[in-house]
Amino acid sequence: MSLSDQVLAAVRAALPACEGGVSLHEPEFRGQEWAYLKDCLDTGWVSSVGAYVDRIERDLEAITGAAHAVATSNGTAALDICLRLAGVKPGDEVLVPTLTFVATANAVAYQGATPHFVDSEAATLGVDPVRLDTYLHQTARLNGDVCLNTRTGAPIRALMVMHVFGHPCDLDGLAEVAARWKLVLVEDAAEGLGSRWNGRHVGNAGLVSALSFNGNKIVTTGGGGAILTNDAELGRRAKHLTTTARVPHKWSFIHDELGWNYRMPNLNAALGCAQLERLPDMMARKAVLARRYAEAFRDVEGVRLLTPGAGAEVNHWLNALILDRPDMATRDALLEALNAAGFMARPLWTLMHRLPMHADCPRDDLPVAEALEASVINIPSSARLAEA
């Protein structure tokens, strides 16, 4: 059998009752979604103020362990504010993985700053702390408490890391590198709700972090996100900036600085509250599906399933296959075969340094990320598939 035939057989073995039209990841509404949305409509609280907005923030604090959560209109808005809170200014550089979704790099550009691309490690798909530290010794120097790029002269203000498919980065190693080089650590935890590193929920290692609740995430609000922080003043400021910097008053419209209308509507928050109630159940079923895939692919040569490393507890948001030997032609042949058979599959995002708007940004050599780009395929991962 060809590798494509073997992969198709393994997917069919893991999903014996599914054939044709299987999505990559779809939302699931089995709880109080209808009741909470009806409550919004019945009471008229449908916009950006309401009890469900307050509730989803408290629920997120309870789930993640973060001291402060601020709901936003989407994950990209959350990233935008995270970088502002981190002190990123025009002319700065921010270290980001080239292997990430485009919002990570775009949020840096929104500040008038420059993304500075770094490599990933094969085990977690996240930023490699050892390689990053070596690269900074070659590329940067400390001037007091400021890390400077010796080639461009620009301050390197922050390190933004991303938890790919819900697999946590090596947060301990990355926090050490950030501290050594006087960088603010920011976590793009858009895909990480429910995932933990050494027992601690992702989003707590950095000064600030961002979550996403897009329609394809493990928990959805339709469109939405959140900012997490353990700093009380930053939590207050995040709320202020995302609500147009309006000074609270019964009727006056006084805005004391430039702010953004990044508020999550009560309707979206209501949907999210119902979804969060079912997060443990969805994660449990997604873990069952991941184990089923692991069994199905156990004897398939030439490809492996991405599995959590030591210290990582993952939410199994998206299951991923990794070719033993990077090869775009083989990767694309597998994508063609899976999608033609009705099993939606996708590759990694195009690496950020290949995109035209980021092509001239500074970067390290990126051999691991480039190999992963030619190796990784996501396969159907909806929680309901555990029941197939």
Side-chain angles (χ1 to χ4, degrees):
M1 296 175 66
S2 68
L3 181 58
S4 293
D5 289 338
Q6 292 180 71
V7 167
L8 270 175
V11 170
R12 288 188 170 111
L15 306 175
C18 299
E19 188 68 36
V22 184
S23 300
L24 185 68
H25 196 281
E26 59 190 52
E28 181 179 273
F29 307 117
R30 297 184 179 183
Q32 296 296 314
E33 288 89 353
W34 282 105
Y36 293 171
L37 289 171
K38 185 176 185 302
D39 182 48
C40 291
L41 298 175
D42 289 344
T43 60
W45 291 94
V46 299
S47 192
S48 54
V49 176
Y52 289 105
V53 177
D54 296 334
R55 176 177 164 182
I56 197 171
E57 291 176 344
R58 303 296 80 77
D59 288 351
L60 288 169
E61 290 164 1
I63 289 169
T64 65
H68 305 279
V70 176
T72 61
S73 53
N74 54 61
T76 304
L79 286 172
D80 185 2
I81 297 299
C82 280
L83 289 170
R84 294 176 191 276
L85 295 173
V88 176
K89 298 177 176 61
D92 288 348
E93 294 179 5
V94 176
L95 299 166
V96 297
T98 191
L99 195 169
T100 188
F101 179 59
V102 70
T104 313
N106 284 354
V108 176
Y110 297 161
Q111 317 311 312
T114 300
H116 187 149
F117 298 117
V118 296
D119 207 7
S120 299
E121 58 179 2
T124 67
L125 308 190
V127 174
D128 183 337
V130 176
R131 182 180 180 88
L132 175 61
D133 190 52
T134 300
Y135 175 62
L136 287 171
H137 275 98
Q138 299 167 350
T139 309
R141 66 179 177 87
L142 287 176
N143 182 11
D145 287 338
V146 179
C147 180
L148 292 176
N149 185 334
T150 56
R151 299 171 186 175
T152 65
I156 304 177
R157 192 72 60 188
L159 164 62
M160 184 154 59
V161 301
M162 193 262 207
H163 306 296
V164 181
F165 310 146
H167 286 255
C169 302
D170 178 358
L171 286 171
D172 296 334
L174 291 164
E176 289 180 10
V177 173
R180 184 177 304 124
W181 290 95
K182 309 300 183 183
L183 303 169
V184 180
L185 180 61
V186 178
E187 291 179 67
D188 181 347
E191 301 172 355
L193 182 65
S195 296
R196 295 176 179 272
W197 177 256
N198 287 332
R200 194 182 192 195
H201 197 286
V202 299
N204 283 285
L207 181 68
V208 284
S209 64
L211 299 173
S212 172
F213 308 121
N214 190 30
N216 67 346
K217 295 298 188 293
I218 189 168
V219 159
T220 183
T221 60
I227 300 161
L228 302 179
T229 183
N230 288 299
D231 185 296
E233 174 57 24
L234 289 182
R236 184 203 65 78
R237 188 150 170 69
K239 190 72 169 179
H240 189 58
L241 290 177
T242 56
T243 53
T244 67
R246 183 183 177 186
V247 178
H249 192 276
K250 290 182 180 180
W251 60 79
S252 293
F253 287 87
I254 300 173
H255 307 262
D256 60 1
E257 62 179 309
L258 185 66
W260 289 262
N261 187 1
Y262 282 169
R263 298 171 291 188
M264 178 185 286
N266 201 46
L267 275 170
N268 297 81
L271 183 65
C273 288
Q275 289 270 287
L276 287 173
E277 291 174 350
R278 299 192 51 257
L279 177 60
D281 170 64
M282 287 190 283
M283 286 181 59
R285 286 183 291 126
K286 289 169 75 63
V288 169
L289 178 62
R291 290 194 295 270
R292 191 177 296 163
Y293 275 134
E295 176 64 23
F297 280 93
R298 184 179 59 183
D299 297 323
V300 178
E301 295 184 2
V303 68
R304 64 180 176 86
L305 196 70
L306 177 65
T307 55
E313 301 171 47
V314 303
N315 60 11
H316 298 289
W317 174 53
L318 286 184
N319 291 288
L321 301 177
I322 304 179
L323 295 174
D324 292 346
R325 299 177 61 184
D327 184 79
M328 283 287 193
T330 301
R331 185 203 72 173
D332 290 349
L334 291 177
L335 287 168
E336 288 283 355
L338 286 163
N339 283 286
F343 298 103
M344 186 175 179
R346 74 174 197 190
L348 277 175
W349 315 278
T350 299
L351 298 180
M352 294 301 99
H353 70 281
R354 301 195 196 281
L355 299 178
M357 63 283 197
H358 299 311
D360 295 328
C361 293
R363 63 178 185 261
D364 187 10
D365 293 331
L366 305 164
V368 176
E370 290 174 346
L372 289 168
E373 184 185 32
S375 307
V376 177
I377 293 172
N378 290 126
I379 52 179
S381 300
S382 302
R384 70 171 184 83
L385 296 177
E387 302 155 8

